[in-house]
Amino acid sequence: MSIPFIDLKSQYKEIESAVKEGIDGVLEHGAYIMGPEISDLEARLSSFSSVRFGVGCGSGTDALIMALMALGVGPGDAVFTSPFTFMATAECIALVGATPVFVDVDPVTYNLDPEDLRRKIADVKDNRSDLTPKGVIAVDIFGQPADYDAIEPLAHNSGLFLVVDAAQSFGATYKGKPVCSLGDIACTSFFPAKPLGCYGDGGMVFAHNEELHKLLLSIRVHGMGEDRYENVRLGINGRIDSIQAAVLLAKFEIFPGEIIKRQQVADRYEALLASVPGLTTPTVAEGNTSVWAQYCVLAENSEHRTELMGKLSDASIPSAIYYPKPLHLQKAFANLKYTEGDLPVCENIANRVFALPMHPYLGEEDQANIAEALKG
Ligand SMILES: Cc1ncc(COP(=O)(O)O)c(C=O)c1O
């Protein structure tokens, strides 16, 4: 039997009756938009994340756009972020009219390098009279938290906001704190392949402060005021569907157990892959936990990666590259005039990284076969 990269079918077997019951509930009450499942989900996930407010929304991308709109980001603002992430992180900055400023990443965690962040903030202050430093979006890539104790003071002491892009890390902890309790606003995604995913698109924005919460609720529905036909600001249609919220409520029941299983899979990989020559397994910083949205390893160089991925493919084992082209080198950001060599750590990782199958239902035998194929 072939090994799936992510196994949503085995998961579905665990929750089938709860999912069907939840969806049936929505079909019966008929409140497809803003049904009671949404406030239920918001209450559960914000409590799980030790944060006061959760605002369900249409996707992780919507979550980031809503966060930046609520924080008043616009033209002339510089927002510092990672180039080693999914497009949405930086795209949302440009979509609200601001300018992404890319910061190199740490060679071990692949998350924002605080030292480079310090340099890039100073550089914009000193040399970019056209830009005002406004905020930082830290990304918890592959499910591992960024270095918040270093990043948060760098942002806040310079008067910048901190947004946590927890699209890949919902359920992870930084020094014991849930990642969505960090920063001024945290955003997550419920894309089906995410650690907590729905059966379509979905996301959530988390905030501690009442004022931001009210702004997010308004922005989610076209900038509504007291009622939906009073529009007091610009917003979007950023709602999550009631059916997706019902799916998430069913999946959330088994989510804590799945986090434990993901860690067990990661631990087994760590042991099995130690004997693959030239392969570097991921390291989670001391005191933190990852939810292993991806299990990404590093080859020695791009030729070695091609060779290892070829061995997997010969054994019918899927693998994938996240992310082959850093955002600063994407055509969509050509106007920012970055060139190869500008962010060397990120570029080096992008040439070497690849992801192995990772999901809570991955068995020991399959993992042993994956390790054997890599050694072969
Ligand atoms: C780091 C990161 N940010 C943002 C997003 C956007 O989330 P969505 O696909 O739900 O819009 C993703 C999704 O892949 C992501 O991985």
Side-chain angles (χ1 to χ4, degrees):
M1 220 182 73
S2 66
I3 301 174
F5 192 67
I6 289 175
D7 188 358
L8 293 175
K9 284 190 187 145
S10 296
Q11 184 193 51
Y12 182 59
K13 282 193 199 127
E14 302 281 312
I15 48 169
E16 184 174 351
S17 59
V19 167
K20 285 183 171 156
E21 217 174 281
I23 293 177
D24 275 353
V26 177
L27 297 178
E28 267 157 37
H29 65 54
Y32 303 111
I33 302 291
M34 297 310 295
E37 293 76 12
I38 290 163
S39 49
D40 192 0
L41 183 72
E42 290 170 343
R44 284 188 205 209
L45 299 196
S46 54
S47 156
F48 175 80
S49 297
S50 309
V51 54
R52 260 178 95 194
F53 303 109
V55 178
C57 61
S59 65
T61 306
D62 278 359
L64 288 163
I65 291 172
M66 285 166 55
L68 295 187
M69 290 176 84
L71 290 162
V73 182
D77 290 334
V79 180
F80 301 85
T81 196
S82 169
F84 192 63
T85 176
F86 181 64
M87 176 64 174
T89 312
E91 186 181 39
C92 69
I93 300 169
L95 281 174
V96 297
T99 302
V101 176
F102 292 110
V103 174
D104 212 347
V105 296
D106 177 90
V108 176
T109 64
Y110 322 145
N111 283 324
L112 276 190
D113 171 2
E115 269 318 301
D116 200 44
L117 176 62
R118 186 196 304 278
R119 280 193 290 271
K120 295 283 158 60
I121 294 173
D123 181 52
V124 170
K125 278 187 183 158
D126 295 345
N127 303 315
R128 293 291 303 265
S129 55
D130 56 326
L131 292 178
T132 308
K134 179 82 176 179
V136 177
I137 304 181
V139 184
D140 301 338
I141 207 70
F142 307 145
Q144 160 158 220
D147 185 358
Y148 290 105
D149 277 356
I151 293 168
E152 188 157 26
L154 277 173
H156 286 165
N157 295 343
S158 298
L160 311 188
F161 65 72
L162 173 61
V163 166
V164 174
D165 181 345
Q168 302 187 8
S169 63
F170 183 78
T173 57
Y174 179 80
K175 300 195 177 167
K177 291 182 233 152
V179 288
C180 288
S181 70
L182 302 169
D184 300 292
I185 296 187
C187 300
T188 199
S189 161
F190 305 128
F191 182 79
K194 294 291 190 262
L196 180 63
C198 54
Y199 291 153
D201 278 309
M204 198 168 280
V205 195
F206 297 92
H208 305 275
N209 137 347
E210 196 133 10
E211 194 187 329
L212 281 175
H213 180 229
K214 282 197 184 137
L215 279 170
L216 290 165
L217 292 177
S218 167
I219 290 165
R220 172 168 71 178
V221 187
H222 302 289
M224 69 185 260
E226 287 305 307
D227 70 68
R228 80 176 60 168
Y229 298 113
E230 187 202 10
N231 306 98
V232 295
R233 59 181 60 80
L234 294 180
I236 60 172
N237 171 2
R239 298 173 299 236
I240 185 171
D241 295 346
S242 307
I243 285 181
Q244 296 305 339
V247 169
L248 286 163
L249 284 168
K251 283 206 183 184
F252 184 57
E253 291 298 310
I254 60 164
F255 184 59
E258 287 192 336
I259 294 177
I260 294 169
K261 288 188 184 137
R262 283 178 178 277
Q263 185 57 50
Q264 288 164 349
V265 172
D267 290 342
R268 282 202 296 266
Y269 265 139
E270 170 82 25
L272 285 162
L273 299 176
S275 50
V276 180
L279 194 78
T280 307
T281 52
T283 303
V284 175
E286 177 102 28
N288 301 342
T289 62
S290 173
V291 282
W292 301 103
Q294 302 293 346
Y295 190 88
C296 285
V297 291
L298 286 185
E300 284 171 332
N301 49 44
S302 75
E303 293 74 31
H304 186 219
R305 172 171 70 185
T306 306
E307 181 194 322
L308 292 175
M309 289 178 75
K311 287 181 180 177
L312 293 173
S313 166
D314 290 346
S316 303
I317 295 165
S319 61
I321 300 178
Y322 303 110
Y323 296 91
K325 193 183 241 196
L327 295 188
H328 66 288
L329 301 177
Q330 295 285 355
K331 192 172 169 194
F333 292 121
N335 62 315
L336 300 176
K337 308 228 176 322
Y338 285 92
T339 55
E340 231 167 279
D342 283 346
L343 297 161
V345 179
C346 166
E347 290 167 32
N348 178 279
I349 293 162
N351 281 329
R352 297 163 57 203
V353 73
F354 65 106
L356 301 178
M358 165 50 84
H359 56 83
Y361 307 94
L362 188 59
E364 271 181 75
E365 201 182 315
D366 282 343
Q367 287 191 269
N369 289 337
I370 292 167
E372 277 317 302
L374 285 167
K375 284 181 218 162

